[in-house]
Amino acid sequence: MRFCVKSVRLSDRDIKRIYFDAFPKNERMPFFLMVLMSKLWNTQFWGFYDGDTPCGFAYFAVNRKLLFLMFLAVDESLRGEGYGSAILKEIRNRYPEKKLIVSIEPCEDTSPDTEIRKRRKAFYGRNGYSETDFQIKLSGVVQDVLIANGEFRKNEFLLFFILYSNGTVWPRIWKKDTS
């Protein structure tokens, strides 16, 4: 693996294809907006390549204490080859002092894609992420919150969103009912 990281540009059709293949329409941001937002100091949109082959991407926001990984995907034909773990490792290496947060769909048995959700949760677990017992509602979608490299604090995460969005995003964050 000859791993290379590049900032994603609007013309990166392969990264856009990976993004559209990996995320349902109701969970996606407009691609052009992601590229535009990545020009800000606190947002990164990285494409990951093995030589010349685009293998995946990561889109995340970062502040003084937290890094929130909003989107991560690996090309479907390359999944299971270690690229996702390599992407997470690269992020962790570049931001070793940050708490790393990701949100994923809950692994409920009533979901039509329960097995995919369980594999995703196991993937993050193998890469050092643990459950927080908190959920968040983003773009109308309820997700479980996972964290690596620190302890989750609800108010800290809420403040992250408020500051990142200049007060335009106030997500609902709550402790899961574990009874």
Side-chain angles (χ1 to χ4, degrees), residues 67-72 88 100-104 124 129-130 132 136 143-148 157:
L67 184 148
F68 178 49
L69 182 58
M70 293 182 236
F71 296 101
L72 169 88
L88 290 177
L100 308 171
I101 298 175
V102 66
S103 61
I104 62 171
Y124 282 108
Y129 287 76
S130 56
T132 64
I136 187 169
Q143 299 183 333
D144 289 343
V145 177
L146 307 177
I147 192 165
F157 194 40

Side-chain angles (χ1 to χ4, degrees), residues 104-153:
I104 62 171
E105 299 95 337
C107 297
E108 299 166 344
D109 290 333
T110 58
S111 301
D113 59 349
T114 301
E115 287 308 311
I116 292 170
R117 292 177 182 207
K118 287 179 179 178
R119 284 197 313 264
R120 185 175 297 122
K121 184 176 179 179
F123 161 75
Y124 282 108
R126 285 191 307 275
N127 284 282
Y129 287 76
S130 56
E131 293 186 62
T132 64
D133 292 328
F134 280 88
Q135 291 185 306
I136 187 169
K137 190 170 189 177
L138 293 169
S139 302
V141 179
V142 174
Q143 299 183 333
D144 289 343
V145 177
L146 307 177
I147 192 165
N149 208 29
E151 183 181 323
F152 182 78
R153 291 188 178 88

Side-chain angles (χ1 to χ4, degrees), residues 161-170:
F161 271 99
I162 294 166
L163 294 174
Y164 178 73
S165 71
N166 291 318
T168 61
V169 177
W170 289 66

